[in-house]
Amino acid sequence: MKLFLATSVVAGVLSVLPATTATAAPLRYEAETAPATCSGTIDANHSGYSGTGFCNASNEVGAAAQFTVNATTAGTATVGIRFASGTTTARPADIIVNGTRTAATSFEGTGAWSTWTTKTLAVQVNAGSNTIRFNPTTAAGLPNVDYLDFEVTGSGAVGTGRPNDPNIQYYGRWDRSNASFYSMGWAGGYLDARFTGTSIGVRQRNAIDLFYSIDGGALQWRRNVSGNVTLATGLSNTAHTVRIGYRERAGSYNGDPVFGGLILPSGTQTAPVTRPANFVEFIGDSITVGQPNANRPFAAYGWLAGEALRAGHTQVAEGGACLVSQGCTGMMDWFRRSTSRSTTDDWNFSTYQATGVVINLGTNDVGHGVSGAQFQQGYIVLLERVRRAYPNAEIFAMGTFRNRYVPETRNAVTARTTAGDTKVRFVDTTGWINSTTDLVDSVHPSEAGHRKIAQRLSPILDQYL
Ligand code: GCU
Ligand code: CA
């Protein structure tokens, strides 16, 4: 094996963010830049790499890529390793931290040598300098390695603006397992924070449509942004609030709805924001997501009603969803998941308690041949599951706007009331919207239609919440 010790004119210089931002962003260490080492060659023949090249380690056991990183404190660090592999066979490697094998990983094929992806790992580090070595355990060697992002994330310091900053309030079903990027499930998730100073930004990963508002102003879109995104500059040098949310992943849209932390004005910290006493989950299908309107999720009735009530809110909803899982995403089951893409009932209901749950389901079950009896039985099961998840929530079962399974919905509510549930109610939506003027197609309310629905729904919710 030939050992190539990377030396470069920029040796020792890290790619860091401008010194004017105090940020949650990790430091980036390029594989071609010393003190990184590469048991192979530094190549530049496959596009898409960062810096001046990437490490093409030799195809053999032990032909490693090694990074030397600096940790501000000891603790758990989040490591993002960017790589490409044009093969279909995964390439396993040991992770060796400061000379000790601490874990193993495997680099799957990325589809092409010019298609780069980032794998996120957690490692324990000491304060100061640490080596992180990827040591291949098969004759295939490593994939091509572009860089390593490194950040100590295990301390959870208050005020940092990092995803784990307890001053940041999250609404909706967020996956917090990656300390660098919290990931929004379903639709209509958002976060609120308070900061001081003249600018604010947010750290994203891959491209996403995000929306935000400053100081409770109108929500605005930033479409197709990635990396460090400046949201506002030139603000008054005082305290401000910011809300950030993301477009839902759905259909062919594969945006990356993750929050990687706030980019705060230099030398500043976040401060606590008040979390409303009420939190309402709206369970439904495309109507509840707000599709196909451009300003979904925040032009949808659930968002509008939640705001009118000054409650927190989210849309546990997906286009095409049904109540019953019969060739369809059946929300009686999927309700228990963190996203529409989860394959297990992975949502941890102790993360938060909803005080209100609004269900709007049945529009799509017809197309999947669900019988009235099946629907009614399934609805009872959903109501039972919601009750188990949220013992004190007020539950509202809306009649569908197209009048589908309305008697069954009503009967299911009655069954639960008879069984002793005193906080479940049927909501009659007859006449709320006009099917000739308030729909964008034959099914989905326009933004004006959503406003009408919210105006009818909010006072009903308000009576009980
Ligand atoms: C190809 C590719 C290299 C890669 C190598 C490998 O030769 O061009 O960049 O490192 O395969 O299989 O490791
Ligand atoms: Ca190689």
Coordinates of all heavy atoms in Angstrom, one line a residue, residues 56-59 91 113 140 142 144, ligand 2:
N56 N -9.0 9.0 -2.7 CA -9.3 7.7 -3.4 C -8.3 6.7 -2.7 O -7.2 6.6 -3.2 CB -9.1 7.8 -4.9 CG -9.1 6.5 -5.6 OD1 -9.3 5.4 -4.9 ND2 -8.8 6.5 -6.9
A57 N -8.7 6.1 -1.7 CA -7.9 5.2 -1.0 C -7.7 3.9 -1.8 O -8.6 3.6 -2.6 CB -8.4 4.8 0.4
S58 N -6.6 3.2 -1.7 CA -6.4 2.0 -2.4 C -7.4 0.9 -2.1 O -8.0 0.9 -1.0 CB -5.0 1.4 -2.1 OG -4.1 2.4 -2.3
N59 N -7.7 0.1 -3.0 CA -8.8 -0.9 -2.8 C -8.1 -2.1 -2.1 O -7.8 -3.1 -2.7 CB -9.4 -1.3 -4.1 CG -10.0 -0.2 -4.8 OD1 -9.4 0.6 -5.5 ND2 -11.3 0.0 -4.6
R91 N -19.2 -1.0 1.2 CA -17.8 -1.1 1.6 C -17.8 -0.9 3.1 O -17.8 0.3 3.5 CB -17.0 -0.2 0.8 CG -17.0 -0.5 -0.7 CD -16.0 0.4 -1.5 NE -15.9 0.0 -2.8 CZ -15.1 0.5 -3.7 NH1 -14.2 1.4 -3.4 NH2 -15.0 0.0 -5.0
W113 N -19.8 7.6 -9.1 CA -18.7 8.1 -8.4 C -18.8 9.7 -8.3 O -18.1 10.3 -7.4 CB -17.4 7.8 -9.2 CG -17.1 6.3 -9.1 CD1 -17.2 5.4 -10.0 CD2 -16.6 5.6 -7.9 NE1 -16.9 4.1 -9.5 CE2 -16.5 4.3 -8.2 CE3 -16.3 6.0 -6.6 CZ2 -16.1 3.3 -7.3 CZ3 -15.9 5.1 -5.7 CH2 -15.8 3.7 -6.0
A140 N -12.3 -4.4 -1.0 CA -12.8 -3.3 -1.9 C -12.3 -2.0 -1.4 O -12.3 -1.0 -2.2 CB -14.3 -3.4 -1.8
L142 N -12.2 1.6 0.8 CA -13.1 2.6 1.1 C -13.8 3.1 -0.2 O -13.3 3.0 -1.3 CB -12.4 3.8 1.8 CG -11.9 3.7 3.2 CD1 -11.2 5.0 3.6 CD2 -13.0 3.3 4.2
N144 N -14.7 6.7 -2.2 CA -14.0 7.9 -2.3 C -14.5 8.9 -1.2 O -15.7 8.9 -1.0 CB -14.2 8.6 -3.7 CG -13.4 7.8 -4.8 OD1 -12.5 7.0 -4.5 ND2 -13.8 8.0 -6.0
Ligands
CA2 CA -10.5 3.7 -4.5

